[in-house]
Amino acid sequence: MDALDLARWQFAVTTVYHFIFVPITIGLSALVAGLQTAWVRTGRPEYLRATKFWGKLFLINFAMGVVTGIVQEFQFGMNWSAYSRFVGDIFGAPLAIEGLLAFFLESTFLGLWIFGWDRLPKKVHLATIWLASIGTMLSAYFILAANSWMQHPVGYTVNAERGRAELTDIVAVLTNSTALVTFPHTITACFLTAGALMLAVAAWHVRRDHQPEVFRPALRLGAWVVLIAGVGVLVTGDLQARVMTEQQPMKMAAAEALYDTSQPASFSIFTIGSLDGRSELASVRIPSLLSFMATGSLDGSVEGINDLQASYAAQYGEGDYVPYVPVTYWSFRLMIGFGALAMAVAAVALWATRRGRRPAGRWLWIAAVSAVAMPLLANSFGWIFTEVGRQPWTVFGLFKTDESVSPSVSASHVATSLIVFTLLYGGLAVVELMLMLRYARAGAPEIVVPESEDAADEDRPLTFAY
């Protein structure tokens, strides 16, 4: 493997690993804020116990997200210096705004939330977690705006003399149509992920009849969040598919392994292709579904890989403009499949626990606990599909991946860093898993309240103990 292949592998490893923690952090921040709001409004101690419990899991994931995000950013200068030089003027702008505005917002108010218990008035303290949650979503928007520019470059001009792209309109970059559909799709996926985590952990405790006053409501809350967010993912994903078809038709064609332009176009549930992914051998299809996904019409025309390859070769010059079809095809389906499976588990959990019921069978509990992995897998396959489907471009139609790699970094250098960071990530994963299991198994903290004091008193300090 050469330096380009190794650099792509390292970027894939660090990106997928980093994005395990990001959606949990974004979704849990809002859920924790909602639980704390319920406590402030009602004064019920179980809401406060739930806030402290889920808040600890949120903080662990936040810390891991920061650590893995720093490593990911170093790659742009280390492995992709040619890319950084070409697009740094544009790509760096939303990332700088994210660091200076959104990250400082979330980190500052998160610090106030962590250390403000018993020091700030309840409503002021509540405002800090809501502002931290808003900051996490703003961070996501600015990062997605940078990534969306790679998918659909706008607001720039290419300086031929300096050999780089230069920013001409920051508003166009921040209001990119790709970012406007990607952001709600990503945020709803974050809530789906956080809801599945809440469902899984709560189910583990409910199965053991441990603190049911805290975890039974959490189980149902997590399941409802998964269902509602899942519907949001479906709706926003449908909108995103149509924008993607307009801007990157090759990605949609590769997602379907559609080699010849079709009208109407069917959607294949399962396809067997040649080893190189260049032709289809057999498939199971739903008539007209791909036309609807791509164009909004059951009779819409969807361009095929062969026609698009000829068109791109004429537009951009000779070359192979087809992404690796097997990975694009299956990552697209696994993304959808794991998300739908999480929704199915949530629906069954809600039905089985309705009106105070507690199922005796073990299979529901196994499925509920396993639900935590389903959105994480869906998110990972979604990012793989997004990035692999754009190949051979780093910036679609403007800058290729093989032009983006650092010219002075050898394969041995990249291999060394890949091995070191993989081992580092493995160690971090063990630490994070141990912390998550420790706090998740311990359950919600008990609240020691002096008998003479009201649980809803604004100024009374509270003591927490396991």
Side-chain angles (χ1 to χ4, degrees), residues 172-439:
V173 173
L174 296 179
T175 59
N176 190 340
S177 58
T178 306
L180 295 179
V181 296
T182 301
F183 177 71
H185 186 61
T186 302
I187 294 300
T188 50
C190 292
F191 279 100
L192 176 67
T193 307
L197 174 67
M198 183 172 285
L199 168 63
V201 175
W204 189 88
H205 285 280
V206 173
R207 177 73 173 86
R208 289 156 179 77
D209 201 26
H210 181 231
Q211 299 178 333
E213 71 282 2
V214 174
F215 288 108
R216 180 178 173 81
L219 185 154
R220 293 186 61 82
L221 173 61
W224 275 115
V225 170
V226 169
L227 278 181
I228 295 171
V231 173
V233 170
L234 291 174
V235 173
T236 56
D238 179 62
L239 296 174
Q240 188 177 20
R242 294 172 193 177
V243 172
M244 181 183 71
T245 302
E246 178 184 346
Q247 297 171 354
Q248 298 183 61
M250 180 65 84
K251 184 184 290 188
M252 177 55 83
E256 178 51 30
L258 181 69
Y259 289 90
D260 298 311
T261 300
S262 299
Q263 184 181 9
S266 59
F267 179 84
S268 68
I269 300 175
F270 181 84
T271 291
I272 299 175
S274 59
L275 291 177
D276 61 0
R278 295 292 182 179
S279 61
E280 175 186 312
L281 302 179
S283 64
V284 178
R285 296 183 169 274
I286 300 176
S288 300
L289 181 56
L290 181 62
S291 289
F292 181 79
M293 292 172 61
T295 67
S297 170
L298 292 174
D299 194 42
S301 176
V302 182
E303 292 182 275
I305 292 173
N306 295 331
D307 293 331
L308 288 167
Q309 166 62 28
S311 174
Y312 287 176
Q315 181 177 358
Y316 302 115
E318 292 298 323
D320 186 358
Y321 297 95
V322 181
Y324 188 56
V325 174
V327 172
T328 310
Y329 176 91
W330 284 110
S331 60
F332 185 65
R333 275 147 188 78
L334 291 170
M335 171 188 68
I336 297 172
F338 280 115
L341 188 58
M343 294 177 64
V345 171
V348 173
L350 282 173
W351 176 257
T353 58
R354 70 193 187 282
R355 298 177 183 175
R357 289 177 171 84
R358 182 176 176 273
R362 59 180 300 194
W363 293 110
L364 172 63
W365 302 111
I366 293 174
V369 172
S370 302
V372 65
M374 299 169 192
L376 295 175
L377 290 168
N379 294 333
S380 297
F381 284 117
W383 273 114
I384 291 169
F385 166 71
T386 298
E387 300 305 302
V388 172
R390 190 186 61 244
Q391 298 304 313
W393 307 98
T394 46
V395 182
F396 183 76
L398 188 63
F399 203 58
K400 290 185 176 181
T401 304
D402 58 9
E403 300 171 329
S404 304
V405 71
S406 298
S408 59
V409 177
S410 67
S412 60
H413 291 155
V414 182
T416 301
S417 64
L418 174 59
I419 294 170
V420 169
F421 282 126
T422 300
L423 293 174
L424 174 63
Y425 277 175
L428 288 174
V430 172
V431 172
E432 195 265 348
L433 185 60
M434 290 177 62
L435 288 173
M436 290 284 287
L437 289 175
R438 174 187 174 187
Y439 288 117

Side-chain angles (χ1 to χ4, degrees), residues 94-164:
L95 294 183
I97 297 173
E98 186 273 335
L100 295 173
L101 174 64
F103 182 74
F104 272 89
L105 174 69
E106 61 183 292
S107 57
T108 297
F109 285 102
L110 187 58
L112 290 171
W113 185 74
I114 294 170
F115 299 106
W117 289 100
D118 308 329
R119 293 178 175 86
L120 296 173
K122 283 204 300 188
K123 292 183 179 179
V124 173
H125 187 256
L126 173 63
T128 62
I129 186 61
W130 276 113
L131 288 169
S133 178
I134 292 170
T136 64
M137 296 184 192
L138 286 175
S139 287
Y141 185 83
F142 290 120
I143 293 170
L144 288 171
N147 181 268
S148 295
W149 187 84
M150 297 167 65
Q151 313 291 337
H152 179 56
V154 294
Y156 74 98
T157 185
V158 175
N159 188 325
E161 181 178 345
R162 302 183 64 184
R164 63 196 302 262

